[in-house]
Amino acid sequence: MVQRIGRGRLPVDPALAWSDRLRVEVGGAGTLAHAGVVLPRLLADRLGLTQGLTEVLARAGFIPLRHRGRLLVDAACALAAGATGLTDVEALTRQEELYGPGGAASDTTLLRGLDELADRLGANGLPGRRLARALARARAKAWAAIIDRHGGLPAVRVAGTDLRRLADADRDGQPVQQGRAVVVVRLDATVIQAASDKQGAEPNFKGYGFHPLTAWCTNVGDNLAAMLRPGSAGSFTAADHIAVLDAAIAQLPAAWRTDLLVTVDGAGFSHALIGHLTACNTARIADGRYGRRGRRVEYSVGWPVDARTRAAIAQLGPDDWSVALTKDGKPDATAQVVDLTGLLRHAVAGGKADVDLLEGWPTDLRVLARRTPREPGEQAELGQDAHWRYGAFATNTATGQLQWLDARHRTQAHVEDNIKDTKACGAHRLPSKDYDRNGAWLQLAVLAVSLPAWLRLIALDGQLAKAEPKALRFRLLSAPARMVTHARKKILKIPPGWAWSTDLTAAWHRIHALHPA
């Protein structure tokens, strides 16, 4: 509605009057931006991560001006809040009301902290023994808090149901592990582009940059291991996959290492990796069942649609295929699955019958294939089927419907969201020309993803407990506030008009109630 405010004057729209007599200037002691960063900061302190990093980086006879654990945790929290580089971290942590006199650290001090963190990484870029133990202790406390609040570790959803271990029987015939969530570990690589010449930046299949390899726990959404690799590092490098897998398993709390599912896409497929996974599976007993002791490790790894796989598929008829399942467990009319193991184990090749095309592979390996129709007008590549797209994966799971195993393999594709979150938390561009510094920066970036993952499950409710990092930043981490002092206590005042103010205060009280590490 337009109102007239006087004779001879132009009409003024009230919707445009908000800026009348408004002044913008620097001032107002105690006002804060990104006040919600107090949540991951406090969580890191309560889990013992801040003190653990301090002990790992400690050097005899050297007392740094800036607390090193505080420095690295604050940098990770700044990355979680949206910082993308060294100057962003310095600017966000400069608020003295929240970060203390002088604020946090300058970009040069942060570079020194990265150098010290890089010295605690192994030759392969993974955390060294002491650093890995500090991270594992903090993770164990985070998982314990999650289990206390939810009554158990969150289970991964497969075809509309929770992935839990059904009752097994030990040698005495007593059921064990009934209803326990299976821990799912996902290995995945990505490419980080480099806009300039940096150590380790090399041409790759997506351009020019780095090719890190990561491992994630799907149940919680936290990072278990991250290895920075040169851009030319191969997707099929078994030694790297094995190193990351071993580091990831070592990060799991001891009580949750006994029943694992490891998933890898087709780019990580290798004979050596499957052999290593088979060797990790130490829980099998003589009659083929699993006993109380040892570790059950099942895998679901992408399998190449090579000549032998295509030859097995060629022997199938239309009735040999079964309808696949959607992620909700409903029939998927556009996809079909089949078990190729028998055709590969007893094939006809070179004029001979009953030839084992899987000779040398583990005896419990199964190969399952999936096909979907090509889109109208889609052209097949030379040598491929003109009507169907095919994919395959290998698993050592002996039981379960084919459709369910296929749905279980495809469920882990959402772990790619964790990699996107890592890039959004500072890993989109690595900040230094020095390779070791960039390796340390990657460790901070994945920590910036893990802290909010723990925060969601420990302290948040409703939609916030499932919020993507972008939503979490806007609703909680970027909340405005004012710091006041009353009765010798500091109070962070969140504006009542901020829609998520009560969620922020409730989360603070939940984290504060955790026993100090």
Side-chain angles (χ1 to χ4, degrees):
M1 179 179 179
V2 177
Q3 298 178 350
R4 214 175 264 279
I5 61 174
R7 179 178 296 182
R9 299 185 62 181
L10 294 176
V12 176
D13 188 342
L16 305 180
W18 67 271
S19 59
D20 290 349
R21 301 181 182 180
L22 175 67
R23 296 175 59 185
V24 177
E25 58 185 26
V26 178
T31 56
L32 295 171
H34 291 89
V37 176
V38 297
L39 297 181
R41 282 188 93 207
L42 179 64
L43 182 60
D45 294 350
R46 282 293 195 262
L47 297 179
L49 180 61
T50 306
Q51 186 60 31
L53 291 175
T54 302
E55 295 172 357
V56 170
L57 268 61
R59 289 181 288 166
F62 174 71
I63 301 177
L65 182 62
R66 297 292 182 183
H67 189 283
R68 287 301 188 250
R70 181 83 277 149
L71 169 69
L72 296 180
V73 165
D74 286 349
C77 292
L79 293 177
T84 59
L86 297 171
T87 54
D88 288 351
V89 173
E90 180 184 3
L92 190 144
T93 59
R94 191 178 292 172
Q95 303 177 96
E96 295 188 3
E97 296 87 350
L98 197 60
Y99 294 91
S106 64
D107 54 354
T108 55
T109 303
L110 182 55
L111 282 176
R112 288 193 292 271
L114 289 176
D115 289 336
E116 295 170 10
L117 180 60
D119 291 338
R120 304 307 187 269
L121 302 181
N124 56 7
L126 292 169
R129 179 175 56 86
R130 292 185 61 203
L131 177 58
R133 287 182 176 179
L135 295 172
R137 285 194 297 267
R139 175 171 286 102
K141 293 174 182 176
W143 282 33
I146 293 170
I147 293 169
D148 286 343
R149 186 182 182 206
H150 297 277
L153 195 70
V156 176
R157 299 284 289 179
V158 175
T161 60
D162 289 344
L163 180 58
R164 298 183 181 277
R165 182 62 56 197
L166 300 178
D168 285 341
D170 63 9
R171 288 185 173 87
D172 299 326
Q174 299 297 322
V176 294
Q177 296 183 328
Q178 186 172 10
R180 179 185 173 99
V182 176
V183 175
V184 181
V185 178
R186 172 74 173 186
L187 271 63
D188 210 345
T190 187
V191 171
I192 297 178
Q193 302 291 345
S196 60
D197 289 336
K198 298 178 180 180
Q199 290 181 357
E202 298 171 349
N204 53 55
F205 62 98
K206 287 189 177 180
Y208 181 80
F210 303 89
H211 193 191
L213 181 62
T214 60
W216 303 84
C217 176
T218 310
N219 305 69
V220 177
D222 54 348
N223 178 266
L224 300 175
M227 173 194 289
L228 183 63
R229 302 189 299 168
S232 61
S235 299
F236 301 95
T237 307
D240 292 346
H241 282 80
I242 292 172
V244 170
L245 174 63
D246 289 345
I249 294 176
Q251 280 295 305
L252 297 173
W256 293 95
R257 299 177 192 169
T258 57
D259 198 351
L260 307 179
L261 171 66
V262 179
T263 69
V264 190
D265 61 16
F269 164 83
S270 69
H271 197 304
L273 176 61
I274 291 181
H276 184 74
L277 287 167
T278 302
C280 289
N281 188 21
T282 59
R284 189 177 294 277
I285 59 178
D287 61 359
R289 293 180 291 113
Y290 289 85
R292 186 189 302 274
R293 297 181 181 276
R295 176 185 300 157
R296 182 204 308 260
V297 178
E298 295 183 356
Y299 58 80
S300 187
V301 181
W303 181 269
V305 184
D306 52 15
R308 60 183 169 184
T309 306
R310 291 194 297 269
I313 291 175
Q315 301 179 49
L316 298 171
D319 296 335
D320 294 325
W321 294 86
S322 301
V323 176
L325 296 177
T326 65
K327 64 179 181 179
D328 298 325
K330 299 178 180 179
D332 186 352
T334 64
Q336 299 174 330
V337 294
V338 70
D339 192 339
L340 298 177
T341 310
L343 293 174
L344 292 171
R345 289 290 186 186
H346 306 281
V348 177
K352 297 181 180 180
D354 204 25
V355 177
D356 186 0
L357 299 181
L358 298 179
E359 184 177 3
W361 291 88
T363 56
D364 60 352
L365 179 138
R366 301 172 63 190
V367 178
L368 281 66
R370 172 186 174 89
R371 71 176 185 179
T372 55
R374 295 190 181 277
E375 299 293 336
E378 180 183 353
Q379 297 294 323
E381 297 181 6
L382 185 64
Q384 293 186 354
D385 191 289
H387 305 288
W388 298 93
R389 292 192 299 265
Y390 291 96
F393 66 95
T395 182
N396 65 339
T397 303
T399 60
Q401 294 180 333
L402 303 181
Q403 298 93 329
W404 184 84
L405 294 175
D406 172 68
R408 187 187 69 171
H409 180 73
R410 291 181 293 106
T411 299
Q412 306 312 310
H414 69 267
V415 174
E416 295 179 1
D417 293 339
N418 295 119
I419 294 180
K420 290 193 298 183
D421 296 344
T422 304
K423 293 183 178 180
C425 290
H428 179 66
R429 289 283 189 272
L430 299 182
S432 177
K433 290 188 175 182
D434 184 81
Y435 184 84
D436 294 334
R437 279 180 178 174
N438 286 333
W441 182 265
L442 179 62
Q443 301 300 323
L444 292 183
V446 295
L447 181 59
V449 178
S450 296
L451 280 172
W454 298 335
L455 173 65
R456 283 190 286 262
L457 292 172
I458 293 175
L460 301 182
D461 294 311
Q463 293 300 318
L464 286 177
K466 303 176 182 179
E468 298 288 334
K470 184 177 180 181
L472 203 63
R473 287 173 180 172
F474 178 78
R475 298 177 182 183
L476 287 186
L477 302 186
S478 65
R482 183 167 60 93
M483 183 74 76
V484 300
T485 302
H486 176 70
R488 298 183 180 181
K489 293 182 179 180
K490 295 187 297 182
I491 303 175
L492 195 62
K493 295 280 190 177
I494 309 296
W498 189 255
W500 304 276
S501 57
T502 56
D503 296 289
L504 198 157
T505 54
W508 171 266
H509 291 307
R510 283 178 179 153
I511 298 172
H512 205 272
L514 296 177
H515 191 278

